[in-house]
Amino acid sequence: MSILLYLLYTCCALLIPGVIAITKAKLSGRKGPGLWQPIYDILRLLRKGSVYSTTTSYLYQYAPLVNFAAALLALAFIPLGDVPGLMHFQGDFVFFAYLLGLGKFLLILNAMDTGSGFEGMGANREALYSMLAEPAFFIVMGSMALLSGHNSFVDIFSQFQDTTQYAILLGFLGAYILGQVAMVENSRLPVDDPRTHLELTMVHEVMVLDNSGFDFGIIMITNSLKFGIYAGLLANLMVPIWLPLGLRLGFALVIAVLFGVMVGLLESFRARNKMARNPQFILTLSAVSLLFFFTVMIIANRI
């Protein structure tokens, strides 16, 4: 069953970019690409060779693969209620967070290894935003661990809905925070705009500007996997654990599609923040997560 769950999350990860593209196209009155177009683009890139600058080292070549492997392994930790992921152990959510951090770190080194001022600027922004978003994730997961009395993903999510009558309220608040963290980690609006081609205002796109062919295809797959990872976390917060397993799997797929639709809606109607406002916006997520923490403390009679 864990293998089936892993395959479901992987399929969701590959579908979400297509759902986002379709949503944005329909809202702007265009026919737009098909659902599978992002996958076709990735397959086309994977068949091409990569071009490497003479200023780069082997680190530049291996970083996209390490980033991809870290995301693929992190996806294996995501459960669905009491159904564990492929891997689980005590404190696995900490290991999960630093797996994603390792991939991000290697991608930042990949950008800096080119010797380009523009890519170094993007790497600087990416590192700052990830550092500011990390406390929000840990506060939410730590609060849920405190409430459930466990520190493993599968134990936290399997016990979370039974610990309090306010689980639905906490679930929606946690889903909002993790959804916003997902937008930051995936470099989407309002923090970054994947459609822009002006280097001075780009974050993630300017980081990977020199990558091409197979390497760029791997980076695109990794971005899709991160969407699947956060869609899985949202499903754990919102899918009722008392439902039969088949219905839970169906609801998880629906939530992943709705997540893609919501990203498309935000990118169609929301403007990008000014660059100077991004740190303030991301720190606001930590403030909201502290509200989540104090609510858990009150419910658990720790205050």
Side-chain angles (χ1 to χ4, degrees), residues 200-262:
L200 287 173
T201 61
M202 295 161 73
V203 181
H204 178 77
E205 297 299 320
V206 75
M207 275 182 61
V208 300
L209 205 58
D210 279 7
N211 289 275
S212 60
F214 181 83
D215 290 347
F216 190 59
I218 289 294
I219 290 172
M220 289 182 66
I221 295 176
T222 307
N223 292 340
S224 297
L225 287 175
K226 287 183 180 180
F227 273 121
I229 287 169
Y230 283 99
L233 292 176
L234 296 179
N236 278 281
L237 287 171
M238 305 183 72
V239 175
I241 196 172
W242 46 264
L243 289 175
L245 181 58
L247 282 178
R248 277 190 278 162
L249 292 173
F251 270 109
L253 179 59
V254 170
I255 287 174
V257 172
L258 290 177
F259 180 50
V261 171
M262 288 301 299

Side-chain angles (χ1 to χ4, degrees), residues 42-57:
I42 290 172
L43 292 175
R44 174 175 51 83
L45 287 168
L46 293 179
R47 291 195 296 266
K48 294 184 176 183
S50 299
V51 178
Y52 300 114
S53 169
T54 55
T55 64
T56 59
S57 64

Side-chain angles (χ1 to χ4, degrees), residues 49-287:
S50 299
V51 178
Y52 300 114
S53 169
T54 55
T55 64
T56 59
S57 64
Y58 286 108
L59 177 65
Y60 177 83
Q61 301 178 27
Y62 295 142
L65 289 172
V66 176
N67 187 31
F68 169 69
L72 206 60
L73 183 58
L75 189 63
F77 286 95
I78 308 299
L80 184 59
D82 55 356
V83 179
L86 282 177
M87 301 180 65
H88 59 94
F89 50 83
Q90 295 301 311
D92 56 9
F93 77 88
V94 178
F95 183 72
F96 162 86
Y98 283 101
L99 263 179
L100 294 180
L102 172 65
K104 183 66 66 72
F105 175 68
L106 265 294
L107 201 61
I108 289 171
L109 292 182
N110 168 276
M112 297 180 68
D113 198 35
T114 62
S116 166
F118 279 126
E119 294 202 27
M121 177 183 63
N124 184 15
R125 292 169 179 169
E126 186 91 352
L128 174 64
Y129 298 163
S130 295
M131 180 191 70
L132 295 178
E134 187 176 280
F137 173 81
F138 274 112
I139 291 172
V140 170
M141 293 307 306
S143 300
M144 294 176 64
L146 175 66
L147 188 61
S148 64
H150 299 279
N151 56 14
S152 173
F153 269 135
V154 63
D155 295 328
I156 290 173
F157 289 127
S158 62
Q159 299 293 325
F160 173 67
Q161 295 183 14
D162 295 330
T163 52
T164 174
Q165 58 182 332
Y166 302 105
I168 295 178
L169 174 63
L170 289 174
F172 276 103
L173 182 57
Y176 168 78
I177 296 169
L178 292 180
Q180 293 293 335
V181 170
M183 299 297 280
V184 176
E185 288 296 319
N186 287 281
S187 299
R188 313 293 290 208
L189 287 173
V191 172
D192 190 20
D193 187 355
R195 298 169 299 180
T196 184
H197 296 287
L198 179 62
E199 286 88 347
L200 287 173
T201 61
M202 295 161 73
V203 181
H204 178 77
E205 297 299 320
V206 75
M207 275 182 61
V208 300
L209 205 58
D210 279 7
N211 289 275
S212 60
F214 181 83
D215 290 347
F216 190 59
I218 289 294
I219 290 172
M220 289 182 66
I221 295 176
T222 307
N223 292 340
S224 297
L225 287 175
K226 287 183 180 180
F227 273 121
I229 287 169
Y230 283 99
L233 292 176
L234 296 179
N236 278 281
L237 287 171
M238 305 183 72
V239 175
I241 196 172
W242 46 264
L243 289 175
L245 181 58
L247 282 178
R248 277 190 278 162
L249 292 173
F251 270 109
L253 179 59
V254 170
I255 287 174
V257 172
L258 290 177
F259 180 50
V261 171
M262 288 301 299
V263 174
L265 286 170
L266 286 172
E267 294 194 350
S268 297
F269 295 109
R270 185 167 185 173
R272 175 177 174 164
N273 288 339
K274 292 182 178 180
M275 198 63 67
R277 287 196 58 195
N278 279 334
Q280 179 183 356
F281 169 77
I282 301 172
L283 283 174
T284 303
L285 297 179
S286 295

